[in-house]
Amino acid sequence: MKKIDVFTHIWPEAYFKALIGIVGEMHAITARSGRVPMMTNLDRRFEVMDMFGDDYCQILSLAAPPLEAICTPDQALELSRIGTDSMAELCAKYPRRFPGFIGTAPLSNSAACVDECRRAIEEKGAVGMQIYTNVKGQPLDLDEFAPFFAYMARAGKPVWMHPARTQDFPDYLTEDRSEYEIWWTFGWPYETSAAMARMVFSRFFDRFPGLKVITHHSGGMVPFFEGRVGPGWDQMGKRTTDRDLGAVLKTLKRPHLDYFKEFYADTASFGSKKAIEHAVEFFGEERVLFASDAPFDPEGGPMYIRETIRILDGLEDEALKRRIYQDNAVALLGLSV
C-alpha cells in the first residue's frame, strides 16, 4: 500500500526565481514559506520523505501566495506555466517520489486560463488544478470563471481548492486588520466553507456535471456544522426580508446538503484526529484523501506528515485506511501504483 500525500507544497527552483523576480522581497506568510528549507531544497525534502519509508510519496503543488494576488494577469499566466513545467520535470525525474503534480490555474487571466489548464493536464500530465477560495477578493461563482469549471468537469480532473485570506481582512468592521493571526486560524476554514456554499447555491454541481472539488483541511467548517448547513439552511430566506432567498433552494435539483457531500476532503488537519473522523463521516469513506500540508509545520516538514500518519495508522478499519492512503487518490487522480 502506498501512502499518497495529495497536498504538499513546493517552490521548484525555476518558479522560485521567477516569483522573486516579480515580488522582490518576501512579506508576511510568503516570507515564512521562503524560510522553510523543504520548500526549495530537494535534498532536505528527500531527507524528510525518507523518514516515512519507501511507500510514502507526494503530489506536488505550488505554495501560496495566489498568483492573482501578487501580479498582473500576464505574469500570473507566466508563473503558472513555469510552475507546471518545473513540477512536471520533477515528476519525470523522480516518479517514485512524485507520482503527480497539480497545476495552478491563472484565474485572473480569463483569456488564457482554460488553454493553460488544458496544456497542464493534457500535455504536461497534471493530475488536476489548484485554485484559491477567492480571486483577489472576487467569489468563484462569477460568470467569468465558469469556463474554467466547465473545462475541469469535462476533463474529469479534480480541482484542489486552497483557502486564501490575509491579515488585511479584519476581524471587526471597525478595525483595519486581523489580530493574532485569526485571519489564518479561523479565517481559512471559513473561506473554504463560504466558497463551498457559493458553489452549491450557484448550482455548480448541476451546471457542471462531473465536477470534482477537493477541499483543503478536512472540508473547513462544514463537517462540524452539518446541522446548521442542513436543517439550518432548510429555512433559507426566513431570516432575510429584502430578497426572496427561499427561491434559491427551489432551483436545486436535490436537497442542498446532498451537494455539500459531493465535495472531497483531505486529511490535512494539523494532527486533529476528530477533524479527520468528522470528514470521513460527512463526506464518506471514498471522498477523503491522505494529505499532510507539508512542509508548513513547526518542524519545517516532518511533523504534519508524522502526525497524520499516526492518526491514519491507528484506524482499526484496514479497508478504510487503504482507501484514504491510496485507493481514493488512485481512482480520483488516475494514478497507477
Side-chain angles (χ1 to χ4, degrees):
M1 179 176 64
K2 294 284 188 182
K3 292 181 173 68
I4 305 172
D5 194 337
V6 303
F7 218 155
T8 67
H9 303 294
I10 192 170
W11 280 342
E13 182 178 1
Y15 177 83
F16 186 46
K17 289 180 179 178
L19 178 65
I20 293 295
I22 289 175
V23 303
E25 183 181 354
M26 296 290 195
H27 297 281
I29 193 171
T30 305
R32 188 278 303 259
S33 299
R35 290 192 293 266
V36 179
M38 191 174 157
M39 280 284 292
T40 56
N41 187 317
L42 273 182
D43 289 339
R44 175 55 180 164
R45 181 172 288 264
F46 293 158
E47 185 179 273
V48 170
M49 293 179 71
D50 288 343
M51 297 177 187
F52 304 102
D54 292 339
D55 291 332
Y56 175 76
C57 57
Q58 297 182 341
I59 304 297
L60 300 176
S61 66
L62 298 180
L67 303 182
E68 57 271 5
I70 58 169
C71 58
T72 68
D74 286 344
Q75 290 171 329
L77 175 62
E78 182 64 17
L79 285 177
S80 174
R81 292 178 66 90
I82 293 171
T84 285
D85 293 346
S86 54
M87 288 189 291
E89 290 175 4
L90 288 174
C91 292
K93 189 173 183 180
Y94 306 103
R96 182 184 65 80
R97 292 186 182 276
F98 308 132
F101 75 94
I102 310 159
T104 296
L107 285 178
S108 60
N109 194 322
S110 56
C113 179
V114 171
D115 284 343
E116 179 53 28
C117 293
R118 184 181 293 112
R119 187 188 77 91
I121 290 171
E122 298 177 22
E123 296 181 22
K124 294 297 181 176
V127 295
M129 300 300 294
Q130 177 179 224
I131 63 171
Y132 288 82
T133 49
N134 68 78
V135 183
K136 206 171 183 179
Q138 298 177 102
L140 294 172
D141 57 353
L142 294 183
D143 288 344
E144 64 190 88
F145 305 130
F148 164 76
F149 292 104
Y151 168 72
M152 295 303 294
R154 292 194 305 270
K157 295 295 184 181
V159 175
W160 273 257
M161 188 166 68
H162 194 291
R165 182 179 287 207
T166 68
Q167 66 183 14
D168 297 330
F169 200 114
D171 310 313
Y172 295 92
L173 291 176
T174 56
E175 299 178 339
D176 60 7
R177 62 177 288 168
S178 175
E179 297 293 345
Y180 315 116
E181 297 184 352
I182 292 171
W183 60 269
W184 180 88
T185 304
F186 296 126
W188 278 20
Y190 174 82
E191 276 280 336
T192 298
S193 307
M196 293 166 70
R198 293 292 289 253
M199 289 179 174
V200 167
F201 295 120
S202 294
R203 301 183 295 109
F204 266 43
F205 295 109
D206 290 336
R207 294 162 55 199
F208 312 119
L211 180 65
K212 303 174 180 66
V213 180
I214 302 173
T215 60
H216 207 10
H217 306 136
S218 302
M221 299 162 55
V222 170
F224 299 92
F225 291 97
E226 180 175 1
R228 298 179 75 89
V229 172
W233 251 327
D234 281 338
Q235 303 178 74
M236 181 184 288
K238 294 185 178 179
R239 310 169 187 88
T240 304
T241 57
D242 63 340
R243 287 183 293 167
D244 182 15
L245 290 181
V248 173
L249 296 178
K250 297 177 183 177
T251 67
L252 301 176
K253 294 181 179 180
R254 290 178 283 142
H256 65 275
L257 190 60
D258 288 0
Y259 293 100
F260 277 96
K261 291 178 180 288
E262 284 204 23
F263 290 95
Y264 293 77
D266 67 31
T267 63
S269 63
F270 313 106
S272 170
K273 179 181 178 182
K274 287 299 181 183
I276 295 173
E277 290 175 347
H278 281 310
V280 172
E281 181 180 356
F282 183 84
F283 296 105
E285 295 182 0
E286 295 183 353
R287 289 180 176 266
V288 178
L289 299 88
F290 168 48
S292 67
D293 206 15
F296 297 128
D297 61 62
E299 298 174 9
M303 179 181 172
Y304 288 164
I305 302 173
R306 182 180 66 247
E307 291 304 297
T308 307
I309 288 176
R310 176 185 60 80
I311 292 169
L312 296 180
D313 279 353
L315 294 174
E316 296 182 359
D317 187 334
E318 291 297 322
L320 173 59
K321 186 187 306 184
R322 184 182 182 91
R323 277 194 284 270
I324 293 175
Y325 270 139
Q326 172 184 287
D327 292 354
N328 291 343
V330 168
L332 187 62
L333 279 58
L335 302 175
S336 58
V337 295

